[in-house]
Amino acid sequence: QSALTQPPSASGSPGQSVTISCTGTSSDVGGYNFVSWYQHHPGKAPKLMIYEVNTRPSGVPDRFSGSKSGNTAFLTVSGLQAEDEADYYCSSYGGRNNMIFGGGTKLTVL
Amino acid sequence: EVQLFESGGGLVQPGGSLRLSCAASGYIFNNYAMNWVRQAPGKGLEWVSVFNGGGGGPNYADSVRGRFTISRDNSRNTLYLQMNSLRVEDTAVYYCVKENLPGTTFEHWGQGTLVTVSS
């Protein structure tokens, strides 16, 4: 199965909101409510930010939210802060007991 | 606190073998599915393999099927990845990843171990 499609980059100023998309197919993103988003600062372990489309793990600020429409999922970061600058990856269950990742989006806080 | 610690990475020649280990602590290891996910230099994340908890079996990405073998020792709370017939394109940081209980997401990640395949 092919990787999910994410924009390579996104940016916003402190305090603004930014939305990152993640496009798959009806066999993955569109077929299951098992979309997750991960924050990755280079050199560190990736961190789960959103799972099952729109659920935040404990400890993740409510500035982070997720949604889905058809075959595309979205991560919205509101009230951007400097520490939000990182790479963000989406993933989706792809059937047959495997997970698929997006190519990643580099978020820059201007 | 969940902790995952990978080891076993290093430099290996094409065609060679390497075994990665992941020591887990802070939770009931055998209840959870465990995965390996890798990131090649300058590239995105790629799921490699899963070993299901509760008696389930393994699965592999097409890119490694037939060359890599995932296993787990529940008595030692350790996950393994035996990598054979290594290729230059297997060069990556390999992360050990614990799923959540329903198996819908990658809940906890290790820091990763670097595997370099080069002559």
Side-chain angles (χ1 to χ4, degrees), chain B residues 12 38-41 86-94 114-118:
Chain B
V12 61
R38 68 184 180 183
Q39 183 176 33
L86 281 161
R87 304 168 180 169
V88 170
E89 55 265 33
D90 294 319
T91 295
V93 174
Y94 285 73
L114 176 61
V115 172
T116 303
V117 185
S118 174

Side-chain angles (χ1 to χ4, degrees), chain B:
Chain B
E1 179 192 4
V2 172
Q3 292 193 319
L4 301 168
F5 182 75
E6 304 94 337
S7 60
L11 174 63
V12 61
Q13 292 188 338
S17 298
L18 212 55
R19 188 176 86 153
L20 306 183
S21 300
C22 170
S25 62
Y27 68 101
I28 301 174
F29 181 72
N30 51 306
N31 283 358
Y32 293 83
M34 296 294 297
N35 295 256
W36 290 99
V37 174
R38 68 184 180 183
Q39 183 176 33
K43 303 289 187 180
L45 300 171
E46 179 190 15
W47 172 78
V48 173
S49 182
V50 60
F51 202 117
N52 291 298
N59 195 27
Y60 302 92
D62 290 342
S63 58
V64 307
R65 185 174 286 113
R67 300 187 299 120
F68 290 11
T69 302
I70 190 172
S71 61
R72 60 192 295 164
D73 185 340
N74 290 338
S75 67
R76 296 178 182 268
N77 291 351
T78 302
L79 179 74
Y80 302 99
L81 186 68
Q82 177 66 43
M83 303 185 295
N84 298 331
S85 303
L86 281 161
R87 304 168 180 169
V88 170
E89 55 265 33
D90 294 319
T91 295
V93 174
Y94 285 73
Y95 296 98
C96 170
V97 188
K98 169 188 166 292
E99 292 186 13
N100 63 347
L101 205 51
T104 60
T105 193
F106 295 142
E107 189 174 35
H108 294 99
W109 297 64
Q111 293 282 346
T113 186
L114 176 61
V115 172
T116 303
V117 185
S118 174
S119 54

Side-chain angles (χ1 to χ4, degrees), chain A residues 4 18 20 25-26 30-31 35-36 50 52 54 61 70 74 86 89:
Chain A
L4 308 175
V18 64
I20 299 170
T25 70
S26 58
V35 176
S36 299
I50 296 287
E52 294 174 7
N54 57 14
F74 303 93
Y89 293 89

Side-chain angles (χ1 to χ4, degrees), chain A residues 4 22 28-30 32-37 50-54 67-68 73-74 90-93, chain B residues 104-105:
Chain A
L4 308 175
C22 169
D28 38 67
V29 174
Y32 307 93
N33 286 325
F34 297 149
V35 176
S36 299
W37 291 91
I50 296 287
Y51 67 101
E52 294 174 7
V53 177
N54 57 14
S67 63
K68 189 181 86 166
F74 303 93
C90 63
S91 74
S92 173
Y93 181 67
Chain B
T104 60
T105 193

